[in-house]
Amino acid sequence: MIYCPKCGTANRQGSKFCNECGAPLPATGLRCPMCGAMNPAGNLYCDRCSARLIPAERVPPEEEKPERPSPPKGISLPSVPLGEEEWLSELRAEALDLAPEEEAPGWPGELEAPGEPPTPEAAIPEWLAELEETVPEAPPPAEKPTPPLAGIPVPPSGEIPEWLRDVEFAPPIQEEPSAQPPPVAEVDVHAGMPSASTTVPPILIEGEEEILSTAPAEIPDWLKEAPAEAPPEYGGLVPAEIPEWLRPLQPREGVAVEEEPTETEGFLSGLRGLLPIGKGLDMPATAQPLLPRAPRPAAVARAELLQGLLSRPLITPPTAEIREAPRQSGWVLTRFLVGVILLAAILLPMLVRLPLFGPPTAPTAEALFATVNHLPGNTPVLIAWEYGPAESDEMDRVAGPLIEHLLRREARLIVVSTRMEGPAAAEALLASRLVDPSERSRRIANLGYLPGQAAGVREALGNLGGRTEAMTGLPASQLDIMADVHSIADVGMVVILAAQPDDLKTWLEQISVANPNVPVVAGVSARIELISTPYLAAGQLRGMVAGLTGGAVYERQLDTGWGREYEYYLTSIGMAQLAIAALTVIGALIFLVGGRKR
Amino acid sequence: MDRLVKRILPTSIAVGTGLLVLLGYLLPVPPLASVRDELIRWAVIIAAFAFILGFFNLLRVHSGRARKPGGIYSVILILTAMTSLVLTLAALLIPSLRFLGDWWFRYVLSPLQATVAGLIAFVLAVAAFRLLRHRREAGVLVFLVAALVVLLGTLPLPAPAGNWLANLRTWWMNVPAMAGMRGLLIGVGLGVLLVGLRVLTGSDRPYSD
Amino acid sequence: MTSILPWLLIIIALGVLLWTAIRARRGPVPSTRPLPAFDGLPAELGHSAESGAPILFTLGSGAVGGDRTLTSIAALETLEGVADAAVAYGTPPIVAVGDPTILPLAEDIFLRAWNRRGTPERYNPTTVQFIGIQPTVYAAGVADLLLHERAHAHVLIGSMDEEAALVTHAAEGRGIPQSVAADRLPALGAVYPADARLAIGEELYAGPARIAALPRYIRSLRAQDVLRFLVVFLILMKVLGLW
């Protein structure tokens, strides 16, 4: 698998582009310089022609020397012994080659790993021999030899200094055994100064407790000039001349040197003089500022600038001042004028009888009328009530005459709806069209809301008797009107009252699957008349009444006396349509001449 | 584990369920059909719970907005929503109180919805007036002509103009408008098909990362 | 014959999708033609970040589980394409949904976006707002949002009918730029006169490809193109009497 460098998606081997984000994938192989074949990235030789893929001077991965173990993160001193450094090995080898009378510096030997006894006679390494040559014959008049490293006992006066001999160590001081062996050398930070206490702990290397001893080495000539006797106040020890630079570090006399507590935890255990760790913090409570005595002027200027910024009061970002685009010219005037014109167009026909329009025509509504007229009496008719209050002003005038016609034909109306407000809208219209309210239970069953849209329709069509009457709460199977109606197969006609094309489509699709032979008619809003016409042409609808015009035609056919109301509505709508058409033309001319918005 | 729970498991459930329902429609074999119906029933129940989520979201948004300037409308909305809820529950629990719900629906909710729907005509009229302000392309001319033909062709104007316009409208609706509509619907149908296949194959995961 | 057609269509579409997927592995992702309705969105996000005013996304009245499911899914995919950028800028949009089944999906988009940034606590539960289930009520509520939330720009992408005119009218009155993507005929007729960048019909489904530019979206568009030419070919064959 190849992993995309951009999004990390795993892609099939051989892919050039990531399947997820389209980023190009890295090259996945090595091209052979001889034959041009692609080989897996790990190959050293070509699979086809065996030519070498990686140049010979380049060291193959397996021939590389093993890496040094990296130290644990965050720790500067190793807690486990590292492999011996090469330079140390060489030094050790040189030391081993030294003649017994030659001096060898004692400190490399002190760093030897435990278990390796130093050679009794070590030859002087070259660097030391060179140093010996440069050292003047005359002993240094005032300076005393530098005291030996910390922890090394000072030899008594006249004796060979410790650091010249071949590692002669004092026996270790018996300390209280600690719970954990100290991992590294225990170093006294105040070492180097002669102290009241002459006993200094010896160097302990890597848990080494035994101090190796070697045969004493010969004192070099330049050191023989050391004073033979030590002043009495030093108890026989030869006092060293403290160099000038070291004098400030000299402890004051009379001041007892406090022994620092020894660290007992971690890799630094055994060390003394470490900074105490605060609770949860490494920084001391009062940290002294580490500023130079005389900061540079540029730094002072920057500091002052920062200080100035920080000392300013907190400013809350201002709330976004939303720059509204300047009101389009005439926006309010346009809306006002259009509103006035529309209102006038709608109200005028209601105030003044305007014989502008002829009688409405709707051939599809007349065909539907004829279909319903041939319906046998007492036929169960399923009504899909798919509109709500928003469309009720128009749809009530489409559905009203149709419902009344069905009631006149003694049909039993079974109402369902996939819209939540559908059953309530149905009840409102049914109550207004039903002449005798007591007939309701015998003529109408409102089976309520069908959740799930298409799925709910399919389920309802297959099990009408399993539903519950919305008004009474009774199971539909217990209603007299539903006595012989269990599913769509028992229904004589389906009427779909829809204001949305989706509702019409859903019902037609489900009915065509459940019972393609049942006649289906529709009452639709004018806005979906165009979309519904193909269903009429295809025969899925036997008739359709569309919009207020269709409703008016149907009412006229029924001769219900609601005609006058439709006349007002239709005239007002006609006037409004005329007004909108005029406004469209006028607006087009205005903006065509006046120029478009930039 | 995180990938399993957040990505693999939801994708498997979605793809598996989708395939089962699709097969249930395409292969009307009884076992598959009953599985399909059951899964759809579950989906309907889950969607019903979404209505509760929507209601609480409405209350949360408007209770926050009620404290801001102009929040009086949010207060009215909350009161109206709670009233509808209480009246509906009352009608369900106490049948004799059903008339309250009917009254609320017939004289408060319905007129409000009808009013808002009525504004659409006004808005469309304003938009038609300002048509050429925003666009100057060939399509605008076609749109203008179509609007005028349909508006005037619907009117029962006196003959012969009325008949001529009505015939023109019928031709326009049945030929150019129908052609454009079908072309649009075919394109939309293909888009819907591809989006559906992307969801069914798990390539699109609107429910997870 | 009727029962075979759905199978045939699905198999052909799957085959074309697979073919485009295989081709995509071998070559760079093809580009899509400019769509003004979506091309301006990144810039609007930037302006929104500068001004501090959010963009209002109207996802329509479509539900999950009905005929409008996939239109809503496409709208959600477009929203997901801008969610990360909007969250990174610190000005997440306001999303208005018209059906509660879309609500948790839209909320999840922003929850995941904030999670990816590592600051889930900054998610505001009122980012996504359910307005109302009736389309006209939804449109009126969105128009009110445009006025009171002082949105910087408006994006309408989803399933709406002519009530979309209420929304575009409100945005036009405020003078804010708007992008509208509609695939339903009543909506197209209503929004065409509006002052908005339009994506008509199937261009709505190209939104995710333009915004997110992920290969799977562009492959899907390619498959759509192939299928469209196939349908045109079949229609021509039928019309010319060759089939």
Side-chain angles (χ1 to χ4, degrees):
Chain A
M1 301 297 283
I2 309 169
Y3 292 91
C4 173
K6 191 175 172 188
C7 68
T9 307
N11 291 272
R12 198 173 295 174
Q13 194 74 21
S15 299
K16 291 187 181 176
F17 297 89
C18 176
N19 204 29
E20 185 68 24
C21 69
L25 296 173
T28 57
L30 298 169
R31 185 175 290 280
C32 174
M34 300 303 290
C35 65
M38 290 301 294
N39 293 270
N43 275 14
L44 188 58
Y45 299 97
C46 176
D47 287 341
R48 189 194 284 181
C49 68
S50 302
R52 195 181 175 91
L53 295 172
I54 300 170
E57 60 269 16
R58 183 175 159 185
V59 178
E62 60 270 14
E63 294 176 25
E64 286 176 355
K65 290 180 184 173
E67 285 182 86
R68 292 175 46 192
S70 57
K73 290 181 186 174
I75 300 171
S76 56
L77 295 174
S79 57
V80 293
L82 297 174
E84 190 175 78
E85 295 282 350
E86 197 177 320
W87 62 270
L88 192 57
S89 307
E90 290 171 0
L91 205 58
R92 190 190 306 285
E94 288 175 7
L96 285 173
D97 292 339
L98 282 175
E101 63 277 10
E102 292 177 354
E103 294 110 7
W107 60 265
E110 292 168 5
L111 294 175
E112 275 180 7
E116 288 189 22
T119 55
E121 292 181 351
I124 298 176
E126 288 180 12
W127 62 270
L128 194 57
E130 289 168 6
L131 186 64
E132 187 181 331
E133 289 169 6
T134 59
V135 170
E137 294 278 322
E143 290 196 7
K144 301 283 163 59
T146 306
L149 287 176
I152 302 176
V154 179
S157 173
E159 289 185 28
I160 299 169
E162 196 67 25
W163 62 275
L164 278 181
R165 296 183 190 173
D166 280 337
V167 193
E168 185 171 347
F169 292 91
I173 292 176
Q174 296 300 321
E175 292 180 314
E176 287 182 11
S178 57
Q180 296 173 1
V184 295
E186 190 176 356
V187 179
D188 186 359
V189 297
H190 292 297
M193 311 300 158
S195 62
S197 165
T198 55
T199 307
V200 290
I203 293 175
L204 298 175
I205 300 174
E206 304 298 340
E208 176 65 45
E209 292 177 328
E210 299 228 16
I211 296 184
L212 306 170
S213 60
T214 59
E218 200 170 328
I219 301 171
D221 296 332
W222 60 273
L223 203 56
K224 286 180 183 174
E225 303 291 333
E229 291 183 2
E233 61 268 26
Y234 286 114
L237 296 173
V238 179
E241 187 69 28
I242 299 173
E244 200 63 40
W245 59 269
L246 207 54
R247 294 238 172 101
L249 298 178
Q250 197 174 1
R252 293 178 218 149
E253 293 180 6
V255 175
V257 175
E258 241 178 67
E259 203 156 287
E260 300 287 341
T262 308
E263 181 63 40
T264 56
E265 289 180 346
F267 73 94
L268 293 177
S269 58
L271 298 179
R272 289 210 304 264
L274 300 177
L275 292 174
I277 298 176
K279 286 183 183 173
L281 292 172
D282 293 328
M283 294 297 296
T286 54
Q288 299 299 318
L290 300 173
L291 288 175
R293 285 186 196 174
R296 290 174 293 172
V300 171
R302 280 196 292 274
E304 285 173 356
L305 176 65
L306 266 173
Q307 185 61 39
L309 287 172
L310 290 171
S311 60
R312 284 187 194 171
L314 188 66
I315 301 169
T316 313
T319 10
E321 215 175 283
I322 297 156
R323 260 190 324 111
E324 284 200 16
R327 265 299 174 181
Q328 297 162 16
S329 55
W331 173 256
V332 176
L333 185 64
T334 303
R335 284 155 54 107
F336 177 76
L337 282 175
V338 169
V340 165
I341 291 169
L342 274 182
L343 207 58
I346 291 167
L347 290 177
L348 197 61
M350 296 183 182
L351 302 171
V352 179
R353 197 180 176 88
L354 294 169
L356 286 174
F357 307 117
T361 56
T364 57
E366 291 165 4
L368 173 58
F369 185 88
T371 304
V372 174
N373 236 9
H374 287 96
L375 203 65
N378 205 31
T379 304
V381 174
L382 180 66
I383 302 179
W385 211 285
E386 303 297 343
Y387 69 88
E391 303 100 350
S392 60
D393 282 338
E394 179 194 16
M395 287 303 296
D396 278 352
R397 284 155 188 84
V398 171
L402 190 53
I403 295 296
E404 182 155 345
H405 194 189
L406 288 168
L407 289 171
R408 283 189 189 184
R409 300 300 304 166
E410 297 289 323
R412 290 178 277 159
L413 306 182
I414 303 163
V415 177
V416 290
S417 178
T418 62
R419 299 181 70 165
M420 280 187 288
E421 63 272 22
E427 277 301 315
L429 181 66
L430 290 168
S432 69
R433 291 284 180 161
L434 201 58
V435 176
D436 184 3
S438 63
E439 290 276 298
R440 189 201 176 282
S441 60
R442 200 172 63 83
R443 309 295 302 279
I444 298 168
N446 190 338
L447 301 187
Y449 168 61
L450 301 177
Q453 297 185 342
V457 170
R458 188 177 58 256
E459 192 168 341
L461 290 177
N463 185 21
L464 284 170
R467 300 203 55 78
T468 307
E469 215 281 335
M471 296 297 121
T472 58
L474 292 171
S477 54
Q478 292 182 13
L479 300 173
D480 294 334
I481 188 176
M482 299 278 297
D484 56 344
V485 178
H486 306 289
S487 69
I488 184 74
D490 305 319
V491 165
M493 180 187 278
V494 178
V495 176
I496 304 172
L497 302 171
Q500 303 279 351
D502 294 337
D503 299 324
L504 180 70
K505 183 168 71 82
T506 300
W507 277 96
L508 285 173
E509 283 172 356
Q510 299 305 320
I511 290 169
S512 66
V513 171
N515 187 2
N517 298 322
V518 64
V520 183
V521 299
V524 301
S525 165
R527 56 193 279 276
I528 66 169
E529 185 184 354
L530 174 67
I531 301 170
S532 311
T533 307
Y535 295 113
L536 201 61
Q540 284 181 282
L541 286 175
R542 303 276 182 94
M544 185 172 77
V545 55
L548 214 58
T549 307
V553 168
Y554 210 98
E555 286 281 12
R556 194 173 59 208
Q557 301 273 329
L558 274 180
D559 196 19
T560 57
W562 290 62
R564 169 100 36 198
E565 184 184 332
Y566 279 86
E567 194 180 316
Y568 285 137
Y569 291 142
L570 287 174
T571 311
S572 296
I573 287 173
M575 288 295 292
Q577 282 178 229
L578 268 178
I580 293 173
L583 282 169
T584 305
V585 172
I586 294 168
L589 288 171
I590 288 173
F591 292 108
L592 201 61
V593 172
R596 68 180 282 195
K597 178 199 106 171
R598 296 288 170 212
Chain B
M1 185 65 186
D2 199 43
R3 186 182 162 90
L4 173 71
V5 169
K6 287 191 175 177
R7 194 161 172 169
I8 297 174
L9 200 59
T11 307
S12 311
I13 293 172
V15 171
T17 310
L19 285 175
L20 276 175
V21 174
L22 180 67
L23 285 174
Y25 274 109
L26 296 176
L27 299 170
V29 179
L32 272 176
S34 58
V35 167
R36 171 202 71 197
D37 290 339
E38 193 61 33
L39 288 172
I40 291 174
R41 235 174 266 128
W42 291 4
V44 168
I45 295 168
I46 293 169
F49 275 102
F51 279 89
I52 302 173
L53 285 179
F55 184 71
F56 282 118
N57 177 275
L58 200 73
L59 291 179
R60 171 195 270 164
V61 166
H62 285 279
S63 60
R65 207 185 286 179
R67 299 183 202 105
K68 295 182 187 173
I72 183 66
Y73 300 106
S74 294
V75 173
I76 293 171
L77 185 143
I78 293 172
L79 288 175
T80 314
M82 298 307 294
T83 306
S84 296
L85 179 68
V86 167
L87 290 177
T88 307
L89 286 174
L92 280 172
L93 297 171
I94 308 168
S96 58
L97 292 180
R98 183 185 296 281
F99 75 97
L100 284 175
D102 291 342
W103 182 90
W104 182 254
F105 178 82
R106 197 176 300 185
Y107 297 107
V108 177
L109 297 181
S110 292
L112 286 173
Q113 284 193 39
T115 306
V116 173
L119 279 176
I120 295 175
F122 163 73
V123 162
L124 287 173
V126 173
F129 179 76
R130 294 160 60 86
L131 176 63
L132 276 175
R133 180 182 164 85
H134 310 303
R135 299 183 197 281
R136 295 279 185 94
E137 52 207 28
V140 175
L141 191 64
V142 176
F143 185 88
L144 256 176
V145 171
L148 291 173
V149 165
V150 172
L151 281 170
L152 298 175
T154 313
L155 297 174
L157 295 170
N163 292 341
W164 185 80
L165 280 170
N167 291 335
L168 180 63
R169 174 188 174 266
T170 305
W171 175 83
W172 189 273
M173 299 265 277
N174 289 335
V175 182
M178 185 70 72
M181 182 189 81
R182 284 183 168 157
L184 207 67
L185 289 176
I186 288 172
V188 168
L190 290 175
V192 165
L193 174 66
L194 268 300
V195 172
L197 284 176
R198 285 205 313 255
V199 174
L200 268 179
T201 54
S203 173
D204 265 350
R205 292 176 294 272
Y207 38 82
S208 74
D209 278 330
Chain C
M1 183 63 177
T2 311
S3 61
I4 295 175
L5 268 176
W7 278 107
L8 213 57
L9 199 58
I10 289 171
I11 288 167
I12 292 173
L14 272 174
V16 173
L17 209 54
L18 194 63
W19 173 72
T20 53
I22 291 168
R23 275 184 63 90
R25 284 210 183 95
R26 295 183 190 156
V29 177
S31 59
T32 54
R33 66 175 170 88
L35 289 171
F38 301 111
D39 294 344
L41 270 184
E44 292 299 339
L45 278 173
H47 296 153
S48 164
E50 288 168 8
S51 67
I55 296 179
L56 175 64
F57 273 83
T58 304
L59 294 189
S61 306
V64 170
D67 291 341
R68 309 187 189 187
T69 302
L70 293 168
T71 307
S72 304
I73 299 267
L76 286 169
E77 287 171 355
T78 306
L79 182 67
E80 191 163 17
V82 301
D84 280 309
V87 154
Y89 291 156
T91 48
I94 299 173
V95 181
V97 299
D99 193 276
T101 52
I102 301 291
L103 179 68
L105 291 175
E107 284 181 336
D108 193 50
I109 285 173
F110 286 96
L111 265 171
R112 282 188 273 124
W114 282 112
N115 269 333
R116 282 191 288 272
R117 279 199 63 77
T119 53
E121 68 281 359
R122 290 189 63 186
Y123 168 70
N124 184 355
T126 59
T127 299
V128 183
Q129 302 183 12
F130 168 61
I131 306 296
I133 200 158
Q134 280 85 16
T136 47
V137 169
Y138 172 66
V142 174
D144 178 70
L145 262 185
L146 276 166
L147 293 171
H148 285 99
E149 291 293 336
R150 307 182 70 76
H152 168 79
H154 174 233
V155 177
L156 191 156
I157 172 166
S159 189
M160 289 189 82
D161 287 326
E162 67 273 356
E163 68 272 2
L166 284 171
V167 182
T168 55
H169 182 80
E172 206 173 320
R174 278 210 54 226
I176 60 176
Q178 51 181 340
S179 302
V180 175
D183 66 339
R184 294 175 64 83
L185 294 169
L188 287 170
V191 303
Y192 187 80
D195 183 13
R197 296 182 290 257
L198 280 185
I200 296 174
E202 58 188 307
E203 290 177 348
L204 184 150
Y205 302 96
R210 285 301 291 175
I211 296 293
L214 291 176
R216 62 174 181 264
Y217 296 141
I218 298 180
R219 283 199 310 264
S220 174
L221 281 186
R222 226 183 186 182
Q224 206 171 320
D225 286 341
V226 171
L227 287 173
R228 184 182 323 137
F229 281 110
L230 188 64
V231 168
V232 167
F233 174 73
L234 289 173
I235 291 173
L236 281 175
M237 292 279 282
K238 188 71 177 173
V239 164
L240 295 173
L242 300 173
W243 173 56

